[in-house]
Each structure stands twice: as C-alpha cells, then as structure tokens.
Amino acid sequence: MADLTPTRLAQRPQLSEEVADHVRTRIMSGEVRPGDFIRLDETAAGLGVSVTPVREALLTLRGEGLVDLVPRRGYLVSPMSRQDIEDIFWLQAELSKRIIDRAIPRYEAETLEHHSHLIDDFEAASAAGDTDGVVRAQYAIHRSINRVSCSDKLSRFLGNAARYMPYRLYAQDPAWRANALEDNRRMLEALRAADVDAAHAVVDDEFSAGAQLLVEHLDRAGVWDEAREPEAAAQA
C-alpha cells in the first residue's frame, strides 16, 4: 500500500497541483473508494495547508473525472471500473510507442550512455529499498526518452495520462522493481540496436503488467461497484 503519511506542503510551489497529486494517488491506490467523501478540512489539516488549494485541487480532479461534486455535501470519489484502468494503461502504451518511434533514430552514443547511467540509478535505488529514489529514477528514464524524441506535445499528453499511476505503490513492490529493472535494460538494448519491434514489446510488457498489478490491488481494496454490492445489499 502506498505510504500516505501526511506531509507539510505549505512551502511547496504549485501547491494545488501537489494536493491534487496527493488525492489522486489516494484514489488510484484504493485508499479512498468510490462513494467516499473527500473532506476539505481533513485533507487540508493532514497536509498542513489551507482549504483553498485543496478546493482548487478537487476542482482539477473533478475535471479528470475522479471526483464528483454533490451540492451542499462536498466532493465524493467517482465510480471506477477495471476498464478505466485498462484504458489508462493502453493509452500510455500507445503514446509511448509513438514516442519511441521518434526517439530511436535520434539516439547517439552520448545519449545512450546517459540512459545507461539512469538505469544504474534505478538499480541502486531499488537495491537500497529507496521508494522515492525508485520513483525519481523511473521518471528520469522515461523523461530521457521523451526528450530525445523531440515530441513535446505528445510527451505532455503522456504525462497527463501518467498522473493516474500511483507510482509509490509500484516502487514499494520488490517484484515490480525487479521486473522494471529488467524492462529498463531490455529497452536500453533495443535503443542501442535501433530495434523498434523490441522496444514496442518492452512497452507492451511494461504497461500490461502495470495494469494487471493495479487491477489486482484494487480488487483487494474492493473499489469496483460489484465488490460493494453485497455491502450495500446488507445495509438495505
């Protein structure tokens, strides 16, 4: 389960975005479930911020379809399905493959060497059990490919889709870290060989595995509508 210990964000820039990331992670990791209310005062107190950035964050999440506004009651978590999760990961895979297509012809010895060092950083963070370090390293690896591709707008679309992923949930899982390290190494070899098919295979494996892991986690958390029906029936 993701570590959601309250953290003071009062001095951080882009405060409402930070709060939105925090609440989005709680939703996507199943910490809060569809039908649960997100309390402004409680969220603000837990993060050490005022209510204003929390309200702004919830407006952002409403636009993303993650929360709904109930008049005079507040914001509650929107319904979510397995198909929603699968769609999010499918979109990321398709965008990533397009970016890879553009990046591969642009890779040179220097950028390949830099990419190799980023994988070393990931391996070191994983071996140390450094969750934050793993998140940073994996982000840097993907960002490196995006930058080489020179596809700014496409990379932004991918970044928006990637916001839904609870990265700490993955980074805390030793099995995921081991698989991710292997995928990163496979991708490096595909980049070195300019092998588009091999690179696409890595992307498909990475995102299909990520979707499966998250669906299984949310199954256990009981976030799907059908998982809540017996509870609702018992209360009727």
Side-chain angles (χ1 to χ4, degrees):
M1 189 67 68
D3 180 5
L4 300 172
T5 303
T7 304
R8 292 193 64 84
L9 300 178
Q11 305 304 315
R12 301 283 293 274
Q14 307 297 328
L15 188 53
S16 66
E17 293 182 14
E18 297 277 352
V19 175
D21 285 343
H22 171 83
V23 178
R24 188 185 297 108
T25 295
R26 296 195 69 200
I27 293 171
M28 296 305 298
S29 64
E31 285 291 311
V32 290
R33 303 191 302 180
D36 290 344
F37 277 91
I38 306 293
R39 306 296 180 185
L40 271 70
D41 291 343
E42 291 178 5
T43 303
L47 295 175
V49 301
S50 70
V51 169
T52 298
V54 177
R55 184 178 292 109
E56 293 172 350
L58 290 172
L59 286 172
T60 296
L61 297 179
R62 184 187 182 194
E64 296 176 6
L66 290 178
V67 300
D68 296 312
L69 175 60
V70 180
R72 297 181 296 279
R73 295 194 64 190
Y75 291 89
L76 57 75
V77 179
S78 304
M80 183 162 49
S81 70
R82 293 177 181 85
Q83 180 175 289
D84 292 331
I85 302 301
E86 292 166 357
D87 288 346
I88 289 168
F89 281 84
W90 172 85
L91 177 61
Q92 290 183 84
E94 293 305 305
L95 292 173
S96 295
K97 284 187 280 190
R98 179 101 172 166
I99 287 171
I100 285 290
D101 291 347
R102 295 177 177 174
I104 281 181
R106 293 183 168 94
Y107 266 97
E108 299 176 349
E110 183 178 354
T111 46
L112 287 169
E113 183 67 16
H114 174 68
H115 198 91
S116 178
H117 290 317
L118 295 178
I119 296 173
D120 291 340
D121 293 341
F122 180 96
E123 183 175 17
S126 179
D130 178 2
T131 299
D132 291 335
V134 168
V135 172
R136 287 193 299 269
Q138 187 71 353
Y139 172 81
I141 288 168
H142 285 283
R143 184 170 181 265
S144 175
I145 296 173
N146 294 346
R147 293 184 68 178
V148 173
S149 76
C150 298
S151 302
D152 181 65
K153 296 296 186 293
L154 202 59
S155 296
R156 289 178 184 272
F157 288 138
L158 178 58
N160 288 334
R163 289 179 180 177
Y164 292 91
M165 295 178 65
Y167 284 105
R168 288 181 61 83
L169 176 69
Y170 293 102
Q172 290 174 338
D173 184 340
W176 178 88
R177 296 199 303 265
N179 290 333
L181 178 58
E182 179 61 24
D183 286 342
N184 289 334
R185 288 171 172 162
R186 288 170 57 206
M187 178 60 76
L188 178 60
E189 291 309 308
L191 296 175
R192 283 174 171 160
D195 189 335
V196 172
D197 290 339
H200 282 197
V202 175
V203 171
D204 285 333
D205 289 347
E206 175 184 354
F207 286 105
S208 63
Q212 181 179 351
L213 189 153
L214 184 54
V215 165
E216 290 174 352
H217 173 79
L218 294 177
D219 275 340
R220 293 190 295 271
V223 304
W224 318 122
D225 289 342
E226 65 267 27
R228 295 172 66 87
E229 284 174 2
E231 176 184 343
Q235 295 176 351

PDB file of all heavy atoms in Angstrom, residues 8-44:
ATOM      1  N   ARG A   8       3.772  18.112   5.194  1.00  0.00           N
ATOM      2  CA  ARG A   8       3.520  19.543   5.079  1.00  0.00           C
ATOM      3  C   ARG A   8       3.964  20.031   3.700  1.00  0.00           C
ATOM      4  O   ARG A   8       5.101  19.866   3.304  1.00  0.00           O
ATOM      5  CB  ARG A   8       4.262  20.315   6.174  1.00  0.00           C
ATOM      6  CG  ARG A   8       3.724  20.053   7.578  1.00  0.00           C
ATOM      7  CD  ARG A   8       4.258  21.064   8.582  1.00  0.00           C
ATOM      8  NE  ARG A   8       3.812  22.410   8.276  1.00  0.00           N
ATOM      9  CZ  ARG A   8       2.639  22.914   8.656  1.00  0.00           C
ATOM     10  NH1 ARG A   8       1.779  22.153   9.302  1.00  0.00           N
ATOM     11  NH2 ARG A   8       2.300  24.155   8.362  1.00  0.00           N
ATOM     12  N   LEU A   9       3.031  20.654   2.993  1.00  0.00           N
ATOM     13  CA  LEU A   9       3.316  21.135   1.648  1.00  0.00           C
ATOM     14  C   LEU A   9       3.241  22.658   1.567  1.00  0.00           C
ATOM     15  O   LEU A   9       3.291  23.214   0.491  1.00  0.00           O
ATOM     16  CB  LEU A   9       2.299  20.535   0.659  1.00  0.00           C
ATOM     17  CG  LEU A   9       2.264  19.013   0.556  1.00  0.00           C
ATOM     18  CD1 LEU A   9       1.171  18.592  -0.422  1.00  0.00           C
ATOM     19  CD2 LEU A   9       3.597  18.463   0.087  1.00  0.00           C
ATOM     20  N   ALA A  10       3.111  23.315   2.703  1.00  0.00           N
ATOM     21  CA  ALA A  10       2.775  24.733   2.696  1.00  0.00           C
ATOM     22  C   ALA A  10       3.795  25.586   1.959  1.00  0.00           C
ATOM     23  O   ALA A  10       3.458  26.652   1.435  1.00  0.00           O
ATOM     24  CB  ALA A  10       2.620  25.241   4.133  1.00  0.00           C
ATOM     25  N   GLN A  11       5.051  25.157   1.932  1.00  0.00           N
ATOM     26  CA  GLN A  11       6.085  25.971   1.296  1.00  0.00           C
ATOM     27  C   GLN A  11       6.404  25.525  -0.113  1.00  0.00           C
ATOM     28  O   GLN A  11       7.315  26.041  -0.744  1.00  0.00           O
ATOM     29  CB  GLN A  11       7.357  25.939   2.159  1.00  0.00           C
ATOM     30  CG  GLN A  11       7.147  26.373   3.607  1.00  0.00           C
ATOM     31  CD  GLN A  11       6.544  27.757   3.703  1.00  0.00           C
ATOM     32  OE1 GLN A  11       6.965  28.676   2.998  1.00  0.00           O
ATOM     33  NE2 GLN A  11       5.563  27.921   4.568  1.00  0.00           N
ATOM     34  N   ARG A  12       5.664  24.527  -0.632  1.00  0.00           N
ATOM     35  CA  ARG A  12       5.959  23.991  -1.937  1.00  0.00           C
ATOM     36  C   ARG A  12       5.315  24.833  -3.034  1.00  0.00           C
ATOM     37  O   ARG A  12       4.218  25.366  -2.863  1.00  0.00           O
ATOM     38  CB  ARG A  12       5.442  22.556  -2.058  1.00  0.00           C
ATOM     39  CG  ARG A  12       6.022  21.603  -1.027  1.00  0.00           C
ATOM     40  CD  ARG A  12       7.422  21.200  -1.365  1.00  0.00           C
ATOM     41  NE  ARG A  12       7.462  20.383  -2.563  1.00  0.00           N
ATOM     42  CZ  ARG A  12       7.282  19.069  -2.551  1.00  0.00           C
ATOM     43  NH1 ARG A  12       7.014  18.426  -1.439  1.00  0.00           N
ATOM     44  NH2 ARG A  12       7.348  18.373  -3.681  1.00  0.00           N
ATOM     45  N   PRO A  13       5.972  24.973  -4.201  1.00  0.00           N
ATOM     46  CA  PRO A  13       5.362  25.671  -5.320  1.00  0.00           C
ATOM     47  C   PRO A  13       4.241  24.844  -5.928  1.00  0.00           C
ATOM     48  O   PRO A  13       4.141  23.635  -5.691  1.00  0.00           O
ATOM     49  CB  PRO A  13       6.527  25.840  -6.310  1.00  0.00           C
ATOM     50  CG  PRO A  13       7.425  24.691  -6.002  1.00  0.00           C
ATOM     51  CD  PRO A  13       7.313  24.469  -4.513  1.00  0.00           C
ATOM     52  N   GLN A  14       3.384  25.521  -6.730  1.00  0.00           N
ATOM     53  CA  GLN A  14       2.290  24.829  -7.399  1.00  0.00           C
ATOM     54  C   GLN A  14       1.507  23.984  -6.397  1.00  0.00           C
ATOM     55  O   GLN A  14       1.262  22.800  -6.595  1.00  0.00           O
ATOM     56  CB  GLN A  14       2.833  23.946  -8.525  1.00  0.00           C
ATOM     57  CG  GLN A  14       3.727  24.659  -9.519  1.00  0.00           C
ATOM     58  CD  GLN A  14       2.995  25.756 -10.284  1.00  0.00           C
ATOM     59  OE1 GLN A  14       1.810  25.649 -10.551  1.00  0.00           O
ATOM     60  NE2 GLN A  14       3.694  26.814 -10.628  1.00  0.00           N
ATOM     61  N   LEU A  15       1.072  24.633  -5.325  1.00  0.00           N
ATOM     62  CA  LEU A  15       0.520  23.907  -4.197  1.00  0.00           C
ATOM     63  C   LEU A  15      -0.721  23.099  -4.553  1.00  0.00           C
ATOM     64  O   LEU A  15      -0.862  21.946  -4.138  1.00  0.00           O
ATOM     65  CB  LEU A  15       0.208  24.894  -3.057  1.00  0.00           C
ATOM     66  CG  LEU A  15      -0.195  24.284  -1.721  1.00  0.00           C
ATOM     67  CD1 LEU A  15       0.827  23.272  -1.256  1.00  0.00           C
ATOM     68  CD2 LEU A  15      -0.349  25.395  -0.686  1.00  0.00           C
ATOM     69  N   SER A  16      -1.627  23.680  -5.315  1.00  0.00           N
ATOM     70  CA  SER A  16      -2.845  22.944  -5.645  1.00  0.00           C
ATOM     71  C   SER A  16      -2.533  21.698  -6.480  1.00  0.00           C
ATOM     72  O   SER A  16      -3.208  20.665  -6.339  1.00  0.00           O
ATOM     73  CB  SER A  16      -3.842  23.842  -6.385  1.00  0.00           C
ATOM     74  OG  SER A  16      -3.347  24.217  -7.654  1.00  0.00           O
ATOM     75  N   GLU A  17      -1.499  21.765  -7.319  1.00  0.00           N
ATOM     76  CA  GLU A  17      -1.103  20.594  -8.096  1.00  0.00           C
ATOM     77  C   GLU A  17      -0.537  19.506  -7.187  1.00  0.00           C
ATOM     78  O   GLU A  17      -0.789  18.313  -7.400  1.00  0.00           O
ATOM     79  CB  GLU A  17      -0.064  20.979  -9.150  1.00  0.00           C
ATOM     80  CG  GLU A  17      -0.608  21.888 -10.242  1.00  0.00           C
ATOM     81  CD  GLU A  17       0.445  22.213 -11.289  1.00  0.00           C
ATOM     82  OE1 GLU A  17       1.493  21.526 -11.301  1.00  0.00           O
ATOM     83  OE2 GLU A  17       0.219  23.129 -12.078  1.00  0.00           O
ATOM     84  N   GLU A  18       0.216  19.909  -6.177  1.00  0.00           N
ATOM     85  CA  GLU A  18       0.755  18.945  -5.219  1.00  0.00           C
ATOM     86  C   GLU A  18      -0.381  18.263  -4.461  1.00  0.00           C
ATOM     87  O   GLU A  18      -0.356  17.046  -4.241  1.00  0.00           O
ATOM     88  CB  GLU A  18       1.681  19.666  -4.223  1.00  0.00           C
ATOM     89  CG  GLU A  18       2.904  20.305  -4.845  1.00  0.00           C
ATOM     90  CD  GLU A  18       4.021  19.308  -5.038  1.00  0.00           C
ATOM     91  OE1 GLU A  18       3.887  18.169  -4.556  1.00  0.00           O
ATOM     92  OE2 GLU A  18       5.026  19.669  -5.664  1.00  0.00           O
ATOM     93  N   VAL A  19      -1.362  19.050  -4.058  1.00  0.00           N
ATOM     94  CA  VAL A  19      -2.501  18.473  -3.343  1.00  0.00           C
ATOM     95  C   VAL A  19      -3.279  17.533  -4.263  1.00  0.00           C
ATOM     96  O   VAL A  19      -3.702  16.445  -3.852  1.00  0.00           O
ATOM     97  CB  VAL A  19      -3.417  19.585  -2.796  1.00  0.00           C
ATOM     98  CG1 VAL A  19      -4.667  18.976  -2.153  1.00  0.00           C
ATOM     99  CG2 VAL A  19      -2.676  20.441  -1.780  1.00  0.00           C
ATOM    100  N   ALA A  20      -3.470  17.954  -5.518  1.00  0.00           N
ATOM    101  CA  ALA A  20      -4.168  17.096  -6.475  1.00  0.00           C
ATOM    102  C   ALA A  20      -3.428  15.770  -6.652  1.00  0.00           C
ATOM    103  O   ALA A  20      -4.049  14.699  -6.708  1.00  0.00           O
ATOM    104  CB  ALA A  20      -4.323  17.802  -7.815  1.00  0.00           C
ATOM    105  N   ASP A  21      -2.096  15.811  -6.725  1.00  0.00           N
ATOM    106  CA  ASP A  21      -1.308  14.580  -6.850  1.00  0.00           C
ATOM    107  C   ASP A  21      -1.535  13.672  -5.641  1.00  0.00           C
ATOM    108  O   ASP A  21      -1.669  12.452  -5.776  1.00  0.00           O
ATOM    109  CB  ASP A  21       0.180  14.909  -6.964  1.00  0.00           C
ATOM    110  CG  ASP A  21       0.568  15.452  -8.328  1.00  0.00           C
ATOM    111  OD1 ASP A  21      -0.227  15.278  -9.276  1.00  0.00           O
ATOM    112  OD2 ASP A  21       1.652  16.051  -8.440  1.00  0.00           O
ATOM    113  N   HIS A  22      -1.566  14.270  -4.464  1.00  0.00           N
ATOM    114  CA  HIS A  22      -1.763  13.501  -3.228  1.00  0.00           C
ATOM    115  C   HIS A  22      -3.127  12.807  -3.232  1.00  0.00           C
ATOM    116  O   HIS A  22      -3.224  11.592  -2.970  1.00  0.00           O
ATOM    117  CB  HIS A  22      -1.648  14.445  -2.027  1.00  0.00           C
ATOM    118  CG  HIS A  22      -2.038  13.811  -0.723  1.00  0.00           C
ATOM    119  ND1 HIS A  22      -1.178  13.033   0.012  1.00  0.00           N
ATOM    120  CD2 HIS A  22      -3.206  13.827  -0.033  1.00  0.00           C
ATOM    121  CE1 HIS A  22      -1.797  12.608   1.105  1.00  0.00           C
ATOM    122  NE2 HIS A  22      -3.023  13.069   1.093  1.00  0.00           N
ATOM    123  N   VAL A  23      -4.178  13.556  -3.535  1.00  0.00           N
ATOM    124  CA  VAL A  23      -5.528  12.987  -3.511  1.00  0.00           C
ATOM    125  C   VAL A  23      -5.696  11.977  -4.642  1.00  0.00           C
ATOM    126  O   VAL A  23      -6.301  10.913  -4.467  1.00  0.00           O
ATOM    127  CB  VAL A  23      -6.589  14.098  -3.600  1.00  0.00           C
ATOM    128  CG1 VAL A  23      -7.995  13.500  -3.635  1.00  0.00           C
ATOM    129  CG2 VAL A  23      -6.460  15.060  -2.423  1.00  0.00           C
ATOM    130  N   ARG A  24      -5.142  12.289  -5.819  1.00  0.00           N
ATOM    131  CA  ARG A  24      -5.226  11.371  -6.954  1.00  0.00           C
ATOM    132  C   ARG A  24      -4.574  10.021  -6.599  1.00  0.00           C
ATOM    133  O   ARG A  24      -5.106   8.956  -6.921  1.00  0.00           O
ATOM    134  CB  ARG A  24      -4.545  11.987  -8.174  1.00  0.00           C
ATOM    135  CG  ARG A  24      -4.750  11.203  -9.459  1.00  0.00           C
ATOM    136  CD  ARG A  24      -3.949  11.784 -10.598  1.00  0.00           C
ATOM    137  NE  ARG A  24      -4.330  13.130 -10.970  1.00  0.00           N
ATOM    138  CZ  ARG A  24      -3.611  14.217 -10.729  1.00  0.00           C
ATOM    139  NH1 ARG A  24      -2.440  14.119 -10.086  1.00  0.00           N
ATOM    140  NH2 ARG A  24      -4.020  15.399 -11.116  1.00  0.00           N
ATOM    141  N   THR A  25      -3.434  10.080  -5.937  1.00  0.00           N
ATOM    142  CA  THR A  25      -2.751   8.854  -5.525  1.00  0.00           C
ATOM    143  C   THR A  25      -3.604   8.061  -4.548  1.00  0.00           C
ATOM    144  O   THR A  25      -3.686   6.830  -4.634  1.00  0.00           O
ATOM    145  CB  THR A  25      -1.388   9.187  -4.887  1.00  0.00           C
ATOM    146  OG1 THR A  25      -0.543   9.778  -5.871  1.00  0.00           O
ATOM    147  CG2 THR A  25      -0.718   7.937  -4.338  1.00  0.00           C
ATOM    148  N   ARG A  26      -4.254   8.736  -3.618  1.00  0.00           N
ATOM    149  CA  ARG A  26      -5.121   8.037  -2.659  1.00  0.00           C
ATOM    150  C   ARG A  26      -6.269   7.335  -3.378  1.00  0.00           C
ATOM    151  O   ARG A  26      -6.644   6.212  -3.019  1.00  0.00           O
ATOM    152  CB  ARG A  26      -5.673   9.015  -1.630  1.00  0.00           C
ATOM    153  CG  ARG A  26      -4.634   9.676  -0.732  1.00  0.00           C
ATOM    154  CD  ARG A  26      -5.293  10.339   0.464  1.00  0.00           C
ATOM    155  NE  ARG A  26      -5.839   9.319   1.354  1.00  0.00           N
ATOM    156  CZ  ARG A  26      -6.791   9.554   2.257  1.00  0.00           C
ATOM    157  NH1 ARG A  26      -7.330  10.759   2.354  1.00  0.00           N
ATOM    158  NH2 ARG A  26      -7.231   8.586   3.034  1.00  0.00           N
ATOM    159  N   ILE A  27      -6.813   7.993  -4.388  1.00  0.00           N
ATOM    160  CA  ILE A  27      -7.919   7.392  -5.143  1.00  0.00           C
ATOM    161  C   ILE A  27      -7.428   6.206  -5.959  1.00  0.00           C
ATOM    162  O   ILE A  27      -8.004   5.114  -5.919  1.00  0.00           O
ATOM    163  CB  ILE A  27      -8.576   8.447  -6.060  1.00  0.00           C
ATOM    164  CG1 ILE A  27      -9.273   9.526  -5.225  1.00  0.00           C
ATOM    165  CG2 ILE A  27      -9.584   7.777  -7.006  1.00  0.00           C
ATOM    166  CD1 ILE A  27      -9.757  10.722  -6.036  1.00  0.00           C
ATOM    167  N   MET A  28      -6.350   6.406  -6.714  1.00  0.00           N
ATOM    168  CA  MET A  28      -5.888   5.367  -7.620  1.00  0.00           C
ATOM    169  C   MET A  28      -5.252   4.177  -6.900  1.00  0.00           C
ATOM    170  O   MET A  28      -5.146   3.100  -7.479  1.00  0.00           O
ATOM    171  CB  MET A  28      -4.895   5.954  -8.631  1.00  0.00           C
ATOM    172  CG  MET A  28      -5.496   6.996  -9.565  1.00  0.00           C
ATOM    173  SD  MET A  28      -6.951   6.408 -10.466  1.00  0.00           S
ATOM    174  CE  MET A  28      -6.254   5.047 -11.415  1.00  0.00           C
ATOM    175  N   SER A  29      -4.851   4.362  -5.652  1.00  0.00           N
ATOM    176  CA  SER A  29      -4.305   3.249  -4.881  1.00  0.00           C
ATOM    177  C   SER A  29      -5.364   2.579  -4.018  1.00  0.00           C
ATOM    178  O   SER A  29      -5.064   1.611  -3.319  1.00  0.00           O
ATOM    179  CB  SER A  29      -3.145   3.730  -4.001  1.00  0.00           C
ATOM    180  OG  SER A  29      -3.612   4.670  -3.044  1.00  0.00           O
ATOM    181  N   GLY A  30      -6.604   3.083  -4.059  1.00  0.00           N
ATOM    182  CA  GLY A  30      -7.686   2.476  -3.297  1.00  0.00           C
ATOM    183  C   GLY A  30      -7.737   2.878  -1.846  1.00  0.00           C
ATOM    184  O   GLY A  30      -8.503   2.308  -1.063  1.00  0.00           O
ATOM    185  N   GLU A  31      -6.949   3.877  -1.461  1.00  0.00           N
ATOM    186  CA  GLU A  31      -7.005   4.363  -0.081  1.00  0.00           C
ATOM    187  C   GLU A  31      -8.368   4.974   0.223  1.00  0.00           C
ATOM    188  O   GLU A  31      -8.874   4.855   1.340  1.00  0.00           O
ATOM    189  CB  GLU A  31      -5.895   5.394   0.165  1.00  0.00           C
ATOM    190  CG  GLU A  31      -4.510   4.810   0.299  1.00  0.00           C
ATOM    191  CD  GLU A  31      -4.348   4.014   1.572  1.00  0.00           C
ATOM    192  OE1 GLU A  31      -4.719   4.518   2.649  1.00  0.00           O
ATOM    193  OE2 GLU A  31      -3.874   2.869   1.481  1.00  0.00           O
ATOM    194  N   VAL A  32      -8.923   5.655  -0.756  1.00  0.00           N
ATOM    195  CA  VAL A  32     -10.311   6.108  -0.675  1.00  0.00           C
ATOM    196  C   VAL A  32     -11.046   5.481  -1.851  1.00  0.00           C
ATOM    197  O   VAL A  32     -10.491   5.345  -2.938  1.00  0.00           O
ATOM    198  CB  VAL A  32     -10.433   7.650  -0.684  1.00  0.00           C
ATOM    199  CG1 VAL A  32      -9.923   8.233   0.603  1.00  0.00           C
ATOM    200  CG2 VAL A  32      -9.686   8.251  -1.869  1.00  0.00           C
ATOM    201  N   ARG A  33     -12.294   5.086  -1.633  1.00  0.00           N
ATOM    202  CA  ARG A  33     -13.013   4.291  -2.622  1.00  0.00           C
ATOM    203  C   ARG A  33     -14.178   5.074  -3.208  1.00  0.00           C
ATOM    204  O   ARG A  33     -14.624   6.073  -2.633  1.00  0.00           O
ATOM    205  CB  ARG A  33     -13.523   3.005  -1.973  1.00  0.00           C
ATOM    206  CG  ARG A  33     -12.428   2.174  -1.342  1.00  0.00           C
ATOM    207  CD  ARG A  33     -12.909   0.806  -0.949  1.00  0.00           C
ATOM    208  NE  ARG A  33     -14.034   0.855  -0.014  1.00  0.00           N
ATOM    209  CZ  ARG A  33     -14.626  -0.237   0.476  1.00  0.00           C
ATOM    210  NH1 ARG A  33     -14.199  -1.439   0.109  1.00  0.00           N
ATOM    211  NH2 ARG A  33     -15.627  -0.134   1.307  1.00  0.00           N
ATOM    212  N   PRO A  34     -14.679   4.637  -4.349  1.00  0.00           N
ATOM    213  CA  PRO A  34     -15.855   5.287  -4.932  1.00  0.00           C
ATOM    214  C   PRO A  34     -16.981   5.396  -3.909  1.00  0.00           C
ATOM    215  O   PRO A  34     -17.289   4.438  -3.202  1.00  0.00           O
ATOM    216  CB  PRO A  34     -16.234   4.345  -6.083  1.00  0.00           C
ATOM    217  CG  PRO A  34     -14.928   3.752  -6.508  1.00  0.00           C
ATOM    218  CD  PRO A  34     -14.158   3.557  -5.225  1.00  0.00           C
ATOM    219  N   GLY A  35     -17.568   6.599  -3.838  1.00  0.00           N
ATOM    220  CA  GLY A  35     -18.628   6.856  -2.866  1.00  0.00           C
ATOM    221  C   GLY A  35     -18.131   7.477  -1.585  1.00  0.00           C
ATOM    222  O   GLY A  35     -18.929   8.004  -0.802  1.00  0.00           O
ATOM    223  N   ASP A  36     -16.806   7.437  -1.332  1.00  0.00           N
ATOM    224  CA  ASP A  36     -16.242   8.092  -0.152  1.00  0.00           C
ATOM    225  C   ASP A  36     -16.135   9.593  -0.398  1.00  0.00           C
ATOM    226  O   ASP A  36     -15.808  10.025  -1.504  1.00  0.00           O
ATOM    227  CB  ASP A  36     -14.846   7.552   0.165  1.00  0.00           C
ATOM    228  CG  ASP A  36     -14.869   6.125   0.677  1.00  0.00           C
ATOM    229  OD1 ASP A  36     -15.952   5.652   1.075  1.00  0.00           O
ATOM    230  OD2 ASP A  36     -13.792   5.481   0.681  1.00  0.00           O
ATOM    231  N   PHE A  37     -16.387  10.375   0.645  1.00  0.00           N
ATOM    232  CA  PHE A  37     -16.237  11.817   0.531  1.00  0.00           C
ATOM    233  C   PHE A  37     -14.800  12.228   0.830  1.00  0.00           C
ATOM    234  O   PHE A  37     -14.132  11.651   1.700  1.00  0.00           O
ATOM    235  CB  PHE A  37     -17.184  12.543   1.489  1.00  0.00           C
ATOM    236  CG  PHE A  37     -18.569  12.713   0.949  1.00  0.00           C
ATOM    237  CD1 PHE A  37     -19.548  11.753   1.193  1.00  0.00           C
ATOM    238  CD2 PHE A  37     -18.901  13.818   0.172  1.00  0.00           C
ATOM    239  CE1 PHE A  37     -20.823  11.894   0.681  1.00  0.00           C
ATOM    240  CE2 PHE A  37     -20.169  13.966  -0.344  1.00  0.00           C
ATOM    241  CZ  PHE A  37     -21.143  13.002  -0.095  1.00  0.00           C
ATOM    242  N   ILE A  38     -14.311  13.206   0.078  1.00  0.00           N
ATOM    243  CA  ILE A  38     -13.013  13.838   0.345  1.00  0.00           C
ATOM    244  C   ILE A  38     -13.305  15.107   1.138  1.00  0.00           C
ATOM    245  O   ILE A  38     -13.870  16.067   0.611  1.00  0.00           O
ATOM    246  CB  ILE A  38     -12.269  14.193  -0.960  1.00  0.00           C
ATOM    247  CG1 ILE A  38     -12.129  12.965  -1.867  1.00  0.00           C
ATOM    248  CG2 ILE A  38     -10.905  14.810  -0.638  1.00  0.00           C
ATOM    249  CD1 ILE A  38     -11.238  11.889  -1.323  1.00  0.00           C
ATOM    250  N   ARG A  39     -12.952  15.110   2.410  1.00  0.00           N
ATOM    251  CA  ARG A  39     -13.257  16.235   3.287  1.00  0.00           C
ATOM    252  C   ARG A  39     -12.195  17.320   3.156  1.00  0.00           C
ATOM    253  O   ARG A  39     -11.006  17.053   3.345  1.00  0.00           O
ATOM    254  CB  ARG A  39     -13.341  15.767   4.737  1.00  0.00           C
ATOM    255  CG  ARG A  39     -14.324  14.612   4.968  1.00  0.00           C
ATOM    256  CD  ARG A  39     -15.750  15.009   4.675  1.00  0.00           C
ATOM    257  NE  ARG A  39     -16.669  13.893   4.898  1.00  0.00           N
ATOM    258  CZ  ARG A  39     -17.963  13.936   4.618  1.00  0.00           C
ATOM    259  NH1 ARG A  39     -18.490  15.031   4.105  1.00  0.00           N
ATOM    260  NH2 ARG A  39     -18.722  12.882   4.850  1.00  0.00           N
ATOM    261  N   LEU A  40     -12.632  18.516   2.841  1.00  0.00           N
ATOM    262  CA  LEU A  40     -11.683  19.612   2.634  1.00  0.00           C
ATOM    263  C   LEU A  40     -10.874  19.884   3.888  1.00  0.00           C
ATOM    264  O   LEU A  40      -9.635  19.983   3.839  1.00  0.00           O
ATOM    265  CB  LEU A  40     -12.426  20.891   2.200  1.00  0.00           C
ATOM    266  CG  LEU A  40     -12.631  21.078   0.699  1.00  0.00           C
ATOM    267  CD1 LEU A  40     -13.644  20.066   0.160  1.00  0.00           C
ATOM    268  CD2 LEU A  40     -13.102  22.501   0.382  1.00  0.00           C
ATOM    269  N   ASP A  41     -11.549  20.013   5.035  1.00  0.00           N
ATOM    270  CA  ASP A  41     -10.849  20.365   6.263  1.00  0.00           C
ATOM    271  C   ASP A  41      -9.859  19.281   6.674  1.00  0.00           C
ATOM    272  O   ASP A  41      -8.725  19.584   7.061  1.00  0.00           O
ATOM    273  CB  ASP A  41     -11.857  20.601   7.398  1.00  0.00           C
ATOM    274  CG  ASP A  41     -12.680  21.863   7.192  1.00  0.00           C
ATOM    275  OD1 ASP A  41     -12.269  22.714   6.376  1.00  0.00           O
ATOM    276  OD2 ASP A  41     -13.725  22.006   7.858  1.00  0.00           O
ATOM    277  N   GLU A  42     -10.287  18.022   6.582  1.00  0.00           N
ATOM    278  CA  GLU A  42      -9.404  16.929   6.979  1.00  0.00           C
ATOM    279  C   GLU A  42      -8.183  16.843   6.066  1.00  0.00           C
ATOM    280  O   GLU A  42      -7.058  16.630   6.523  1.00  0.00           O
ATOM    281  CB  GLU A  42     -10.165  15.607   6.943  1.00  0.00           C
ATOM    282  CG  GLU A  42     -11.239  15.476   8.014  1.00  0.00           C
ATOM    283  CD  GLU A  42     -11.996  14.161   7.892  1.00  0.00           C
ATOM    284  OE1 GLU A  42     -11.601  13.328   7.037  1.00  0.00           O
ATOM    285  OE2 GLU A  42     -12.972  13.972   8.648  1.00  0.00           O
ATOM    286  N   THR A  43      -8.417  16.998   4.756  1.00  0.00           N
ATOM    287  CA  THR A  43      -7.309  16.929   3.810  1.00  0.00           C
ATOM    288  C   THR A  43      -6.340  18.079   4.029  1.00  0.00           C
ATOM    289  O   THR A  43      -5.114  17.893   4.032  1.00  0.00           O
ATOM    290  CB  THR A  43      -7.836  16.951   2.364  1.00  0.00           C
ATOM    291  OG1 THR A  43      -8.757  15.870   2.179  1.00  0.00           O
ATOM    292  CG2 THR A  43      -6.696  16.827   1.358  1.00  0.00           C
ATOM    293  N   ALA A  44      -6.874  19.277   4.239  1.00  0.00           N
ATOM    294  CA  ALA A  44      -6.029  20.444   4.478  1.00  0.00           C
ATOM    295  C   ALA A  44      -5.199  20.270   5.746  1.00  0.00           C
ATOM    296  O   ALA A  44      -3.993  20.557   5.767  1.00  0.00           O
ATOM    297  CB  ALA A  44      -6.896  21.701   4.567  1.00  0.00           C
TER     298      ALA A  44
END
